[in-house]
């Protein structure tokens, strides 16, 4: 490998994210429990989120709006202002969650820093992702932070053009096979999957990945023997 850039996903690769969304969904379901079963509420919220992705993109602010819209739909527009206020409060709490680094993240970045150009390649709300990286204390390790509208082949191709590198010089590390791995392999890059114990339904795929440029590793520090040969 003739690598120049090592890219890291942020949420559930560098620090905890999805469990906080799941906690918020639990609160939403409890708040709306008079209308539907927990399963029914979760399904309606998920359908609303997916329908809104093209409009709101990924991130907490879009999630808050989707919770409000789902609550209105589920209640046939009869929910009170107090419930809407409660949903907004849940969203603000989500935005203010403490940053919990995953095991081995900072040690791995320290080892790689100065040996490669390190970047963050994540999707979500720009302000929220910048805030999380600032609060994480990891920002100084990275040469570039890219908050992407989506993570498809075209998005990665545009990123590599801005970085002025070839796909064969790019190495992506992330927890989502759908967003972090498959598009990078498709354009000719290298990718490592570090599974997280829980994954958003939208990020799941139903097939195994087999590719010469791909590995699945148990933890993030396991990339060091590969990259520091």
């Amino acid at each position: 490998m003739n690598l120049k850039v090592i890219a890291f996903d942020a949420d559930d690769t560098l620090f905890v994210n999805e469990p906080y969304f799941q906690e918020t969904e639990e609160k939403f379901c409890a708040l709306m429990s008079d209308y539907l079963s927990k399963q029914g509420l979760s399904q309606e919220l998920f359908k609303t989120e997916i329908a809104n992705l093209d409009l709101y993109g990924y991130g907490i602010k879009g999630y808050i709006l989707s919770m409000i819209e789902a609550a209105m739909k589920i209640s046939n527009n009869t929910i009170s202002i107090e419930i809407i206020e409660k949903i907004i409060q849940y969203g603000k709490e989500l935005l203010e969650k403490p940053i919990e680094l995953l095991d081995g993240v900072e040690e791995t970045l320290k080892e790689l820093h100065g040996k490669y150009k390190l970047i963050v390649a994540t999707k979500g709300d720009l302000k929220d992702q910048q805030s999380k990286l600032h609060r994480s204390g990891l920002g100084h390790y990275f040469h570039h932070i890219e908050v992407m509208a989506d993570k498809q082949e075209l998005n990665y191709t545009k990123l590599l053009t801005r970085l002025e590198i070839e796909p064969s010089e790019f190495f992506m590390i992330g927890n989502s096979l759908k967003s972090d791995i498959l598009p990078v392999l498709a354009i000719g890059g290298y990718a490592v999957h570090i599974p997280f114990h829980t994954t958003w339904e939208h990020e799941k795929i139903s097939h195994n990945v087999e590719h010469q440029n791909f590995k699945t590793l148990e933890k993030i520090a396991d990339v060091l023997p590969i990259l520091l040969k």
Side-chain angles (χ1 to χ4, degrees):
M1 293 187 293
N2 180 33
L3 299 173
K4 292 184 178 177
V5 173
I6 312 299
F8 294 82
D9 175 51
D11 294 330
D12 299 323
T13 298
L14 299 178
F15 36 70
V16 173
N17 179 65
E18 180 59 22
Y20 294 152
F21 275 87
Q22 292 181 351
E23 287 175 14
T24 304
E25 184 176 318
E26 292 275 346
K27 292 178 184 177
F28 173 83
C29 291
L31 187 67
M32 300 293 296
S33 60
D34 288 345
Y35 295 94
L36 283 175
S37 68
K38 182 180 175 183
Q39 183 180 7
L41 291 164
S42 290
Q43 288 173 346
E44 285 299 320
L45 176 56
F46 181 71
K47 282 196 307 188
T48 306
E49 283 183 84
I50 300 306
N52 285 335
L53 277 180
D54 285 345
L55 193 60
Y56 300 150
Y58 296 87
I60 294 173
K61 292 170 189 172
Y63 184 63
I64 296 169
L65 290 170
S66 290
M67 282 194 291
I68 293 171
E69 182 179 337
M72 292 172 66
K73 194 184 305 179
I74 289 162
S75 69
N76 197 25
N77 295 325
T78 61
I79 54 167
S80 65
I81 289 296
E82 287 75 22
I83 287 182
I84 293 175
E85 287 176 341
K86 202 75 175 172
I87 291 171
I88 292 170
Q89 178 191 326
Y90 294 159
K92 288 181 177 179
E93 290 170 358
L94 192 52
L95 284 164
E96 294 169 349
K97 283 288 186 183
I99 303 302
E100 182 181 345
L101 296 184
L102 295 177
D103 289 345
V105 164
E106 186 151 20
E107 294 80 0
T108 300
L109 294 174
K110 280 180 182 176
E111 288 291 325
L112 296 175
H113 189 243
K115 301 177 178 70
Y116 295 95
K117 184 179 288 186
L118 306 183
I119 73 165
V120 172
T122 191
K123 60 186 179 184
D125 179 78
L126 178 62
K127 184 173 177 59
D128 180 42
Q129 293 292 24
Q130 288 178 335
S131 169
K132 285 196 287 190
L133 279 162
H134 174 72
R135 289 184 287 132
S136 74
L138 300 176
H140 64 284
Y141 291 110
F142 297 107
H143 173 271
H144 178 80
I145 296 169
E146 184 84 6
V147 180
M148 305 160 80
D150 204 347
K151 282 184 164 180
Q152 299 188 32
E153 291 174 36
L154 179 61
N155 304 96
Y156 282 104
T157 299
K158 288 180 177 179
L159 172 61
L160 268 56
T161 299
R162 285 193 288 276
L163 294 169
E164 299 181 327
I165 60 169
E166 297 297 320
S168 61
E169 298 170 321
F170 183 73
F171 189 101
M172 180 73 196
I173 299 167
N175 70 295
S176 170
L177 289 168
K178 182 179 178 181
S179 293
D180 302 320
I181 307 304
L182 293 178
V184 173
L185 297 177
I187 65 171
Y190 293 84
V192 160
H193 180 225
I194 312 289
F196 191 62
H197 65 82
T198 184
T199 303
W200 184 31
E201 198 65 36
H202 184 62
E203 294 293 336
K204 294 179 180 178
I205 63 171
S206 58
H207 59 88
N208 294 327
V209 178
E210 294 184 13
H211 195 284
Q212 62 183 5
N213 292 1
F214 168 72
K215 287 183 183 295
T216 294
L217 301 175
E218 185 178 335
K219 55 187 185 297
I220 200 165
D222 292 342
V223 303
L224 294 176
I226 298 169
L227 297 174
L228 299 179
K229 286 180 179 178

